[in-house]
Structures are given as structure tokens and as C-alpha cells.
């Protein structure tokens, strides 16, 4: 599904290398988790994959189902099936959540040459999915993320993911700022989307989220590289002992 | 004091091109207004309040030619149940207007009203009062020479809005209209205005609101690219009364919208907001002066401008809090979204406060599209153009949301959206 090879990335404005040769393959139907200390390049990886400005790829490649995504505009990547659940979802006053969702869904359908979703069909689908995430009608009506609590913002990210049905879901510290109940709700939303045709890359600091979203593979990232890969037990090891041992071992 | 020769000449030339209508009851007010014009002179670029906007074309004897806009877009407010009053190039059209009859409201035309009229107490009175401390000679010119307008007296809750529709039919029309609205204690009215009016439009609106009265005003100025407009609102608010005015301006080569508000009764609320979108030789000027002269009053100014391809936006807003106007809550924000590097925004926010227990805040910013917001939308599959449009509408939202009626908010937003889509091609 997602194949990242020897990816090197630096900041456009300063000569600072952030990713120093990332190799990672996420297969369809699998959940991969990336853990790692602050500043290891986890969020950069998610931004580079989704096409944010300000980063320069100096070497390597990233493909989705064989297609080079690094050359695409962010909206083209979205239409191709990449979705990033933001660590800090952006507030957009004056644009209703519903309008935003429908615009996004139909923009992607149009880009793929599919028929747009009718207003009534859209309404039906969005209501059902919102209900699962305990998102009420008021939250759907309000401007995008404006006045939402931390938990509401993250739930709203998952709702967008559920509506857009991407092939490759990247979750950037979706657990940050969530209490236990909210985390569970978000995890349930993610689990409901687990599917044979869909890959997940879950970036997190803590093992807690991975209690709820069981990963198939866990990677440890440090200083711009994947330094260790293992099964779910790797996350437990981090939780118990911190990164120090793993990093020492990797060097 | 004698006027500078250049101003004297310009004023004489303009006055020579005008004929004062038969005034009837308004004769005295017109004569006084003419005297004010003669003593102040019409504005030129040397006047402090015309530093950012050249008044020449508003002052010159003949209106500069303005082509008519060809558009198949349905006029705004078409879905609203309203009482329509139509002016074509400033001339009342009985044919296109509804009967000027409504429960709790009396409506007369300025051109019809002959002898004794209630409007005598307001016509030119608020305008004259609003000449201090800043002179507004174009408004006095209006009082002296207005050919028509509506005189609206509201004694209860008006059952539906009054909608003033200004059609532009001649490329050289020069219209001067003057409206008076008097809201009695506890009465309520919504006034809608739309349309380009004329090649050049000078409009004055005086609104007297008694204790507990409520006045809503929503206006969409016409899109004809070459039209010019100088408009002024003068309002005086009694105790616990409410004044809320919103203006959408999309194009027009020159617009100067002045609003002079005086809060004279305790606990009164005055909000004035504007959203404008313009490009190219578009020049838009909002000039506001709010005087707090009573206890515990609230005023809000929310002005947002979207500018591109060399368009210019101007904001001059002042809050004056008089001695004794304690517990004043004044808010003023003026912001521009510059969609390219050729456009400019000139802002002069002012506060003058003589009371010691007040909260007044003001802010003014110019900026480009928010990159984070743009990336967020694009990452959801929305292309850059439509994503920019959405963020532009979002930028204007604080001003548009000053309109209380949600369906009107939506209508304004859809007009902005249509404008953005057209511009994008």
C-alpha cells in the first residue's frame, strides 16, 4: 500500500535535515505504529506524506499503490487515498462543518471521476457516522473546529476520515489532549475503519492508544530514521523502560 | 473664514450644476444645509478625512460615466417577504414599487411630502449634528439637494422589512436620495437596501431611535464596476435601543460609506459592520464615528475587506467616549485579506476616551490567506482555488455574522461565493 524508501527530507528555509533515510512499508489491511522521542521526525513524516509546504525531499521516494505521491499536490494525494488526521486540527470560522465535509467528499469524488454525492444521501451517511462518534447535530452545524474541545476536534478528524474513506490513514498523535473516554471513542472510530483494503500509520508517544488500536507492527523512530521494528510488544517495552535502552541498542 | 480658492471654485462649480427642489416643510433644513456646504466647502484631497480617498469624482459637477453591469444573477433579497420601494437612477418608480402601506409604519416620499411633516424634526437635524467634530460636506450637500427619499415612521413592530431597491439605468445618472427613519419607543424595523443606484450616488440615511427601539439594516451595494457612491448614515440612539447595520460591497470603482452614531441613552447597543470584496481599481472606504454619551452602552465595529489585483481598502474608525459615559464597551476591528501583493489597506483606528471606567478594544490587521488553513482544506481533497474561497468566506464571517437573520447571512455568503467563483473564472 504505502512504500517509503530511503526518504531524506530537509526544511526548505534552513539547511536542516529532519528525515535521514526512512524505510517503511505499510501493507493493506495492516496497522503500523510509529513511536519515538520528541524531535525524531514523526510529525514531519506525516506532513511530507500529505504534502505540506516547507519541506524539501532531497532523496528517496514514497509511493501509494505504486504511484509516486511526492510529486502530487495535497488535494491529489487526498483523492489518491492519503488522509492525515492532524495533531492540531485547524479552526475555520465561518465555514460550517457539514459544508466542509460535503465539499471535501465531492471534491475527491470529482477528482476520481465519480458521481457527486447528493445532499440527501450525504446527510444520511454523515448522520449515521457522526452518531457512532457521538458527534451531535450541533457540532455538525458549527463552523469547522471552532469552539470544539480537544476531544471534539479529534473526533471530528475521525469523522472526516470515515466520510472520505481513504486507503491510507495517517494519524498524527491523535491521542494527544484526549482523556481516557475520548481516546476510547476515537479508537473505536478507527477500529471500525480497519479493513483489508486500508492501511494505517499511527504516530503516537504513548502505548495507551495502542491498547485500543492494536497495531500489527511497531516502529521506533529516532533522529530521522526507523531504528527498530517489532511487534506490539515493542510498544510495551517503550512504555516500561522508555526509549533510552532501545536507542542505545540501535546505535 | 474664506475657503481656499481651489475649494471655493470646486464647490461653486458643483452648486451651479444643482437645483434645489421645492422644499415645502424641508425648505428651511435645505437652506441651512446649503449654508453649511458654502461655509465648509466640498472636500478635496487636502482634508484630513479624505487623505486616503480622492473625493474629486464625487465633487465634480457631472457624474463620471459608469457602464451598466450585464448580469443574469438574480437581485439579492428576492426570497425575502418585504415591502419594495424602487428607485431607478434616483427616480421613484411607482410601477415597480409596492403600495407604501404597512401596519405600524407610515411611509411617505420626500418628494411628495408638502407642508407639515413629522420628519421635520429629523431631516437634516442628525446630519447637521454629525458635522462636529468632523465635517461631512457631502452629506450637507445631500440634505440641501436630495430629490427624493422615503420618510419612514415606525410605531410598532413592522411586520416585514422595507426594501429599498436602487436600479441603475443610465450611464451618466447622478442621484441624490435622503431617507429618514424614526423608530418610536419599543418599535422595530428592518431596512434592506440593494443595487448600484446610479453612475454616481449620494445617499444620506438619518435614523432616530427612541427608547427601546430596534433598527436592523442590511445593505448590498451594487456591483456595477464603474459606479461611485458616497453614503452616510447618521443615527441617534435612545435608552436600551438597538442599531445594527451591515453592508456588503462587491466592486464599484469608488465607495465611501460613512456612519455616524451617537449613543445618547443608557444601555443602548450599536453595531456597524461591513464586508467588502474588490479587485482592480476598486476603492472602498469605511469611515465611522461613534460617540458614547451615556452609561453602559455597547458599540461594535467589524469591518473586513478582501482585496486583490491592486484594489484599495480604507478604514477610518473612531470611538469617542465622553466624560461620564462610564461602563462603555467599545469594540473595533478592521482587517484586510490581501490576496496579492498589489493591493493595499489603509487603516486609521482612533480612540478618544474621557471616562475612566470603560472597556475599549481595537485591532487592525492586514494579511494573506492562512497557510495552515489552506493546507488543512487541501489535505481533505479541496483544490487550492475553492479552498482559498472557503477561507475567504471564513475571513469575512465575523462581519457577516453581525446580521442576526441567518437566512440573510446565508444569502450574503452565497453572493460572496458567486463573486469569488466569477473572479476565479
Amino acid at each position: 500500500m504505502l512504500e517509503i524508501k530511503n526518504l531524506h527530507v530537509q526544511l526548505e528555509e534552513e539547511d536542516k535535515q529532519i528525515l535521514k533515510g526512512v524505510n517503511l512499508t505499510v501493507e493493506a489491511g495492516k496497522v503500523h505504529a510509529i513511536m519515538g522521542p520528541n524531535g525524531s521526525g514523526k510529525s514531519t513524516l506525516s506532513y511530507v506524506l500529505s504534502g505540506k509546504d516547507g519541506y524539501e525531499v532531497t532523496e528517496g521516494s514514497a509511493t501509494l499503490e505504486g504511484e509516486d505521491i511526492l510529486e502530487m499536490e495535497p488535494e491529489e494525494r487526498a483523492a489518491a487515498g492519503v488522509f492525515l488526521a492532524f495533531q492540531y486540527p485547524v479552526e475555520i470560522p465561518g465555514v460550517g462543518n457539514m459544508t466542509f465535509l460535503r465539499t471535501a467528499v465531492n471534491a475527491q469524488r470529482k477528482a476520481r471521476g465519480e458521481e457527486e454525492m447528493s445532499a440527501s444521501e450525504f446527510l444520511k451517511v454523515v448522520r449515521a457516522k457522526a452518531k457512532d462518534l457521538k458527534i451531535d447535530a450541533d457540532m455538525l452545524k458549527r463552523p469547522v473546529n471552532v469552539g470544539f474541545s480537544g476531544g471534539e476536534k479529534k473526533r471530528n478528524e475521525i469523522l472526516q476520515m470515515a466520510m472520505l474513506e481513504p486507503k491510507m490513514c495517517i494519524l498524527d498523535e491523535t491521542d494527544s489532549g484526549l482523556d481516557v473516554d475520548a481516546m476510547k471513542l476515537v479508537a473505536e472510530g478507527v477500529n471500525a475503519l480497519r479493513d483489508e483494503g486500508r492501511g494505517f500509520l499511527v504516530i503516537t508517544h504513548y502505548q495507551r492508544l495502542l491498547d485500543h488500536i492494536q497495531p500489527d507492527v511497531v516502529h521506533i523512530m529516532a533522529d530521522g530514521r526507523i531504528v527498530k521494528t517489532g511487534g506490539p510488544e515493542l510498544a510495551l517495552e517503550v512504555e516500561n523502560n522508555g526509549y533510552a535502552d532501545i536507542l542505545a541498542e540501535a546505535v | 473664514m474664506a475657503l481656499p480658492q481651489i475649494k471655493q471654485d470646486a464647490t461653486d462649480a458643483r452648486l451651479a450644476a444643482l437645483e434645489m427642489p421645492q422644499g415645502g416643510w424641508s425648505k428651511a433644513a435645505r437652506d441651512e444645509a446649503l449654508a453649511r456646504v458654502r461655509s465648509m466647502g466640498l472636500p478635496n484631497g487636502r482634508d484630513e478625512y479624505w487623505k486616503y480617498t480622492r473625493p474629486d469624482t464625487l465633487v465634480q459637477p457631472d457624474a463620471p460615466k459608469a457602464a451598466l453591469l450585464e448580469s443574469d444573477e438574480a437581485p439579492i433579497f428576492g426570497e425575502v417577504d418585504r415591502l419594495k420601494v424602487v428607485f431607478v437612477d434616483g427616480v421613484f418608480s411607482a410601477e415597480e414599487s409596492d403600495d407604501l402601506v404597512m401596519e405600524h409604519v407610515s411611509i411617505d416620499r420626500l418628494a411628495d411630502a408638502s407642508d407639515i411633516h413629522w420628519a421635520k424634526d429629523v431631516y437634516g437635524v442628525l446630519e447637521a449634528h454629525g458635522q462636529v467634530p468632523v465635517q461631512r460636506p457631502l452629506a450637507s450637500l445631500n440634505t440641501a439637494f436630495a430629490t427624493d427619499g422615503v420618510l419612514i415612521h415606525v410605531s410598532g413592530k413592522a411586520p416585514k422589512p422595507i426594501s429599498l431597491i436602487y436600479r441603475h439605468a443610465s450611464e451618466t445618472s447622478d442621484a441624490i436620495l435622503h431617507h429618514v427613519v424614526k423608530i418610536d419607543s419599543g418599535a422595530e424595523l428592518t431596512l434592506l437596501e440593494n443595487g448600484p443606484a446610479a453612475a454616481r450616488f449620494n445617499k444620506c440615511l438619518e435614523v432616530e431611535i427612541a427608547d427601546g427601539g430596534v433598527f436592523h439594516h442590511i445593505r448590498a451595494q451594487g456591483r456595477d464596476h464603474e459606479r461611485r457612491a458616497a453614503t452616510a448614515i447618521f443615527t441617534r440612539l435612545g435608552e436600551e435601543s438597538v442599531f445594527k447595520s451591515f453592508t456588503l460591497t462587491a466592486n464599484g470603482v469608488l465607495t465611501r460609506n460613512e456612519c455616524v452614531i451617537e449613543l445618547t441613552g443608557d444601555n443602548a447597543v450599536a453595531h456597524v459592520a461591513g464586508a467588502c470584496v474588490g479587485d482592480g481599481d476598486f476603492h472602498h472606504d469605511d469611515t465611522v464615528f461613534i460617540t458614547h454619551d451615556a452609561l453602559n452602552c455597547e458599540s461594535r465595529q467589524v469591518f473586513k475587506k478582501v482585496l486583490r489585483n491592486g484594489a484599495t481598502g480604507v478604514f477610518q474608525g473612531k470611538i469617542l467616549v465622553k466624560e461620564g459615559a462610564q461602563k462603555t464597551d467599545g469594540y473595533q476591528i478592521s482587517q484586510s485579506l490581501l490576496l496579492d501583493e498589489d493591493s493595499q489597506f489603509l487603516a486609521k483606528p482612533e480612540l478618544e476616551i474621557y471616562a475612566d471606567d470603560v472597556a475599549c478594544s481595537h485591532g487592525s490587521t492586514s494579511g494573506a490567506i492562512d497557510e495552515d488553513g489552506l493546507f488543512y482544506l487541501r489535505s481533505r481533497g479541496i483544490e487550492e482555488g475553492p479552498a482559498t474561497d472557503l477561507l475567504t468566506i471564513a475571513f469575512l464571517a465575523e462581519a457577516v455574522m453581525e446580521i442576526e437573520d441567518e437566512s440573510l447571512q446565508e444569502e450574503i455568503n452565497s453572493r460572496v461565493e458567486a463573486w469569488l467563483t466569477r473572479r476565479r473564472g
Side-chain angles (χ1 to χ4, degrees):
Chain A
M1 171 72 55
L2 176 69
E3 206 165 339
I4 302 169
K5 281 187 189 157
N6 193 30
L7 189 63
H8 286 69
V9 171
Q10 66 179 41
L11 290 180
E12 245 169 28
E13 288 188 356
E14 43 187 313
D15 192 20
K16 190 180 172 196
Q17 199 82 24
I18 310 274
L19 300 183
K20 302 172 180 172
V22 175
N23 288 291
L24 179 67
T25 302
V26 181
E27 308 83 4
K30 301 288 184 197
V31 174
H32 284 232
I34 298 187
M35 302 179 75
N38 290 329
S40 57
K42 306 186 298 294
S43 287
T44 296
L45 179 63
S46 71
Y47 285 145
V48 170
L49 292 174
S50 50
K52 190 173 183 178
D53 276 348
Y55 301 99
E56 191 189 340
V57 176
T58 52
E59 213 182 320
S61 66
T63 56
L64 184 74
E65 295 186 313
E67 256 191 291
D68 178 7
I69 55 169
L70 297 179
E71 286 300 309
M72 297 181 189
E73 296 293 336
E75 57 269 29
E76 293 169 338
R77 300 181 197 207
V82 176
F83 180 92
L84 170 65
F86 281 55
Q87 184 179 358
Y88 304 108
V90 181
E91 294 187 5
I92 307 180
V95 177
N97 213 5
M98 203 78 124
T99 310
F100 162 62
L101 274 170
R102 195 162 160 235
T103 308
V105 166
N106 282 334
Q108 292 201 12
R109 289 187 164 220
K110 203 173 141 201
R112 292 193 291 259
E114 297 165 12
E115 207 174 304
E116 291 190 8
M117 221 182 208
S118 74
S120 59
E121 190 191 350
F122 172 81
L123 210 60
K124 219 170 89 185
V125 176
V126 80
R127 278 190 183 143
K129 298 198 176 195
K131 200 175 158 207
D132 292 341
L133 287 159
K134 297 208 166 84
I135 290 175
D136 59 20
D138 184 52
M139 244 176 93
L140 286 174
K141 247 180 95 179
R142 265 151 58 189
V144 181
N145 293 325
V146 178
F148 286 26
S149 70
E152 286 175 333
K153 281 183 183 169
K154 296 301 172 74
R155 262 147 58 202
N156 202 29
E157 292 292 289
I158 306 303
L159 175 65
Q160 291 167 37
M161 195 161 89
M163 288 303 298
L164 295 168
E165 300 181 324
K167 289 177 187 156
M168 185 63 223
C169 305
I170 305 163
L171 280 68
D172 186 10
E173 298 197 22
T174 295
D175 50 340
S176 70
L178 292 189
D179 60 34
V180 182
D181 293 334
M183 193 187 306
K184 232 175 128 184
L185 205 58
V186 164
E188 278 167 15
V190 172
N191 288 331
L193 288 168
R194 289 180 77 154
D195 179 280
E196 276 178 20
R198 188 170 287 140
F200 283 87
L201 192 58
V202 179
I203 295 170
T204 181
H205 268 294
Y206 303 106
Q207 195 265 337
R208 261 185 326 187
L209 181 68
L210 304 179
D211 281 344
H212 302 291
I213 306 173
Q214 290 280 331
D216 298 295
V217 183
V218 175
H219 307 273
I220 306 296
M221 194 166 180
D223 193 26
R225 286 185 199 91
I226 305 281
V227 293
K228 190 166 184 180
T229 297
E233 73 286 349
L234 192 53
L236 283 170
E237 197 184 322
V238 169
E239 185 75 4
N240 294 331
N241 306 327
Y243 290 111
D245 291 354
I246 296 170
L247 297 186
E249 193 184 312
V251 173
Chain B
M1 199 173 70
L3 296 172
Q5 197 55 45
I6 196 163
K7 186 172 258 205
Q8 185 71 56
D9 292 346
T11 304
D12 288 346
R14 176 65 176 132
L15 292 175
L18 287 163
E19 200 178 322
M20 194 185 284
Q22 292 293 321
W25 59 267
S26 67
K27 177 87 171 60
R30 290 175 186 272
D31 287 341
E32 283 165 27
L34 177 58
R36 283 197 292 281
V37 175
R38 288 197 195 284
S39 89
M40 293 186 277
L42 291 170
N44 66 24
R46 295 186 176 202
D47 294 331
E48 173 71 16
Y49 267 73
W50 288 92
K51 237 162 76 181
Y52 305 126
T53 299
R54 289 181 66 92
D56 316 26
T57 54
L58 298 171
V59 169
Q60 71 185 53
D62 295 315
K65 207 168 151 184
L68 308 179
L69 178 77
E70 281 178 35
S71 166
D72 49 13
E73 189 182 29
I76 197 165
F77 306 139
E79 303 294 311
V80 181
D81 181 23
R82 59 199 168 140
L83 187 144
K84 295 198 290 275
V85 185
V86 180
F87 293 91
V88 181
D89 289 320
V91 179
F92 176 73
S93 166
E95 226 166 81
E96 294 170 76
S97 300
D98 293 325
D99 290 338
L100 305 185
V101 178
M102 190 158 67
E103 201 186 347
H104 305 307
V105 182
S106 84
I107 310 168
D108 292 313
R109 282 177 48 217
L110 175 63
D112 279 349
S114 52
D115 282 337
I116 302 162
H117 201 275
W118 60 262
K120 196 166 181 268
D121 297 336
V122 187
Y123 188 88
V125 175
L126 299 190
E127 175 262 299
H129 190 69
Q131 296 293 344
V132 180
V134 179
Q135 296 184 342
R136 304 170 201 282
L138 287 172
S140 296
L141 185 81
N142 180 300
T143 300
F145 294 99
T147 52
D148 208 346
V150 284
L151 313 170
I152 303 169
H153 184 187
V154 190
S155 55
K157 190 174 182 327
K160 58 185 177 185
I162 293 178
S163 177
L164 306 179
I165 298 162
Y166 306 119
R167 284 189 27 226
H168 175 201
S170 149
E171 291 190 347
T172 53
S173 53
D174 192 15
I176 306 181
L177 294 179
H178 193 121
H179 311 303
V180 171
V181 176
K182 189 174 182 211
I183 312 247
D184 285 351
S185 183
E188 268 185 64
L189 177 75
T190 296
L191 182 72
L192 308 174
E193 292 184 282
N194 72 288
R200 182 170 69 181
F201 190 31
N202 180 332
K203 195 205 65 185
C204 190
L205 169 65
E206 292 175 294
V207 186
E208 173 94 72
I209 310 175
D211 297 351
V214 176
F215 178 70
H216 289 280
H217 175 228
I218 298 115
R219 145 170 86 161
Q221 295 178 301
R223 290 200 290 111
D224 294 23
H225 300 302
E226 293 165 358
R227 65 126 188 92
R228 292 174 159 78
T231 78
I233 299 171
F234 295 91
T235 185
R236 191 157 61 189
L237 282 85
E239 228 168 84
E240 288 181 10
S241 65
V242 175
F243 168 91
K244 289 191 179 177
S245 172
F246 170 87
T247 301
L248 170 71
T249 312
N251 287 7
V253 71
L254 176 60
T255 307
R256 162 87 160 206
N257 289 334
E258 299 199 25
C259 190
V260 182
I261 297 171
E262 200 180 359
L263 297 137
T264 57
D266 296 348
N267 304 310
V269 173
H271 292 191
V272 54
C276 86
V277 290
D279 62 357
D281 48 11
F282 173 88
H283 182 109
H284 182 96
D285 175 333
D286 285 298
T287 292
V288 180
F289 198 109
I290 299 185
T291 304
H292 281 262
D293 196 12
L295 287 174
N296 203 31
C297 290
E298 173 191 311
S299 71
R300 268 175 80 83
Q301 303 170 56
V302 182
F303 287 90
K304 303 267 187 160
K305 295 175 168 58
V306 176
L307 306 167
R308 69 174 158 201
N309 295 329
T312 303
V314 176
F315 174 78
Q316 308 183 95
K318 178 157 181 170
I319 306 174
L320 168 65
V321 180
K322 287 200 174 173
E323 208 181 320
Q326 302 293 12
K327 304 286 180 194
T328 285
D329 181 3
Y331 174 78
Q332 179 197 81
I333 184 96
S334 62
Q335 295 181 306
S336 72
L337 175 62
L338 305 175
L339 293 176
D340 55 48
E341 289 178 1
D342 300 327
S343 303
Q344 59 172 341
F345 178 53
L346 306 156
K348 195 171 81 170
E350 294 175 280
L351 294 175
E352 198 176 326
I353 302 174
Y354 296 99
D356 57 7
D357 184 15
V358 303
C360 280
S361 62
H362 67 101
S364 186
T365 64
S366 296
I369 280 280
D370 171 37
E371 289 296 329
D372 288 338
L374 190 61
F375 174 61
Y376 189 63
L377 294 176
R378 293 179 73 190
S379 79
R380 298 304 182 244
I382 303 170
E383 286 177 51
E384 191 170 1
T388 304
D389 292 356
L390 270 179
L391 291 174
T392 303
I393 288 169
F395 166 79
L396 295 173
E398 189 186 356
V400 175
M401 283 186 317
E402 284 292 321
I403 303 173
E404 279 190 9
D405 183 316
E406 278 183 27
S407 63
L408 289 177
Q409 277 182 20
E410 273 168 34
E411 179 147 22
I412 294 288
N413 276 336
S414 75
R415 296 291 155 154
V416 173
E417 222 177 305
W419 184 89
L420 290 166
T421 311
R422 270 196 306 274
R423 296 289 122 178
R424 203 150 38 75

